[in-house]
Amino acid sequence: MRLFSLVLALACILASALAWDKEDYEIFDLQSGIEATEGKGITFYSWLDVPSTASSSEIAKAYRKKSLQLHPDKNPGVKDIEARYARLGVVQKILRSENRERYDFFYKNGFPRWRGTGYYYSRFRPGVVTVLAFLTLITAGLQHMVHRMNYSRDVARVERIITAARRAAWGPKLVRVEGRRKVKVNIGGESAQVDEDGHEYGMGRFLDLVVDGDSVWLLEANGDLTPLDSSVATKPSWGRTWPVALGLSLVGRFFPKAAEGHASTTEALDDTEQDDSEVPSGYSTPSGRTAGKANGAAKRRKSARK
């Protein structure tokens, strides 16, 4: 729902931005220039000192009067007087042409705060480096947002599996039962049926799990137990975005020693996480293997990785 709302908002902004044409941009520029030199809230009409219902002849008369006041020859040394005088001529031209209807629309409904990327790009004209930096920031931000969405989805999925395992071990009312219980949990695939006690049966993809108190373990094919909790989901990190990954790749190519140091640090952190996730000492799997053997398998996996 949030993604849909975001897409809808972006679509509305894009549609409104595409609605502005060259004449609109000219009006935007004039309005911004008038407020910058004449004062905040000054409009085409208030600058000429005429009402918004003034006729074309009344606007022409007001323009002649105002142009005499702002003529550069009568205001030597006044800052920006030439620009103000030229702007006044464009204003009266708009108000005496068919573009007046367009200006009246913004005059009555207000000027948009966002005027489209084309408008701002043509005014400020950022350099190539600025554009690339902006695009990099935007794409990295979008990628990070996708990572956050995937993380939330994975955590919710893990929680559903844990709840299903407890329901299979303790019953639909989740009345806690002491002792270790091995259960199978359907995680999808072909549709499965549910009996009157809430247990799933039939076709589907199943996971072998072990429920022991508040802990839920994933039973591997070789008998090892892996803790199942929200930590199995990959947390979003700016370090996983493409600019950082590209930077590390370039560092590894041109500075191998620095890359090896980074790899050693990452591996040490992975080993620490693996040690934290090992089965507690003395715990035996349903196949009869002890925790020591399971932990030994984990250590062998580390050695193989090295």
Side-chain angles (χ1 to χ4, degrees):
M1 187 62 182
R2 290 182 178 178
L3 180 60
F4 175 77
S5 300
L6 178 61
V7 172
L8 182 61
L10 291 176
C12 292
I13 293 175
L14 179 61
S16 62
L18 293 177
W20 315 138
D21 53 26
K22 183 178 179 181
E23 288 73 19
D24 294 330
Y25 288 160
E26 183 180 28
I27 292 174
F28 297 157
D29 278 340
L30 286 171
Q31 182 63 38
S32 298
I34 290 174
E35 291 192 353
T37 57
E38 311 304 324
K40 189 70 172 178
I42 299 297
T43 65
F44 288 11
Y45 294 114
S46 62
W47 195 25
L48 290 172
D49 196 21
V50 295
S52 60
T53 57
S55 63
S56 180
S57 59
E58 291 174 333
I59 291 174
K61 182 179 179 180
Y63 164 71
R64 287 192 295 269
K65 179 181 178 180
K66 193 72 173 180
S67 63
L68 290 175
Q69 298 175 1
L70 293 180
H71 199 283
D73 293 342
K74 292 187 177 182
N75 299 274
V78 177
K79 183 180 179 180
D80 298 331
I81 192 63
E82 291 83 2
R84 295 170 62 192
Y85 183 78
R87 193 177 294 126
L88 180 65
V90 179
V91 166
Q92 68 87 25
K93 183 179 179 180
I94 289 177
L95 294 182
R96 298 180 65 191
S97 68
E98 58 184 11
N99 288 333
R100 178 178 180 177
E101 181 180 355
R102 194 61 183 167
Y103 172 77
D104 285 343
F105 172 82
F106 298 117
Y107 175 77
K108 295 176 182 178
N109 298 283
F111 285 83
R113 294 185 176 181
W114 176 255
R115 301 172 183 178
T117 54
Y119 172 82
Y120 294 107
Y121 182 84
S122 63
R123 270 61 186 172
F124 300 106
R125 295 193 179 279
V128 175
V129 175
T130 303
V131 172
L132 291 178
F134 175 76
L135 293 177
T136 299
L137 183 62
I138 291 296
T139 54
L142 291 175
Q143 186 181 15
H144 185 68
M145 182 179 68
V146 171
H147 288 170
R148 292 180 63 88
M149 294 171 60
N150 290 340
Y151 174 72
S152 299
R153 180 199 61 192
D154 293 343
V155 169
R157 187 165 182 261
V158 169
E159 293 298 333
R160 287 196 301 270
I161 294 175
I162 291 175
T163 301
R166 290 171 177 168
R167 184 178 290 112
W170 300 343
K173 295 184 178 181
L174 295 178
V175 179
R176 180 169 177 171
V177 178
E178 296 298 332
R180 184 178 65 246
R181 288 173 176 260
K182 178 183 176 182
V183 298
K184 286 182 175 292
V185 173
N186 189 308
I187 60 171
E190 299 182 19
S191 59
Q193 301 180 12
V194 181
D195 60 21
E196 59 183 7
D197 294 328
H199 299 291
E200 296 179 343
Y201 66 94
M203 300 300 294
R205 294 175 55 196
F206 287 85
L207 282 180
D208 289 326
L209 301 173
V210 173
V211 179
D212 186 8
D214 293 331
S215 299
V216 177
W217 307 82
L218 175 64
L219 181 60
E220 306 285 358
N222 60 3
D224 290 343
L225 291 178
T226 302
L228 184 63
D229 53 35
S230 60
S231 64
V232 301
T234 303
K235 292 185 177 181
S237 170
W238 287 103
R240 295 178 56 234
T241 56
W242 75 265
V244 178
L246 178 61
L248 293 177
S249 176
L250 293 176
V251 169
R253 176 173 296 183
F254 295 104
F255 304 98
K257 293 183 178 181
E260 291 177 1
H262 179 271
S264 299
T265 303
T266 303
E267 185 175 353
L269 292 175
D270 291 341
D271 289 344
T272 301
E273 293 177 357
Q274 183 66 38
D275 291 339
D276 292 340
S277 63
E278 290 176 354
V279 183
S281 178
Y283 194 100
S284 60
T285 67
S287 61
R289 298 180 65 192
T290 63
K293 294 180 179 180
N295 292 342
K299 292 177 181 178
R300 286 193 297 273
R301 287 197 298 272
K302 294 181 199 173
S303 299
R305 188 172 67 245
K306 292 179 180 179

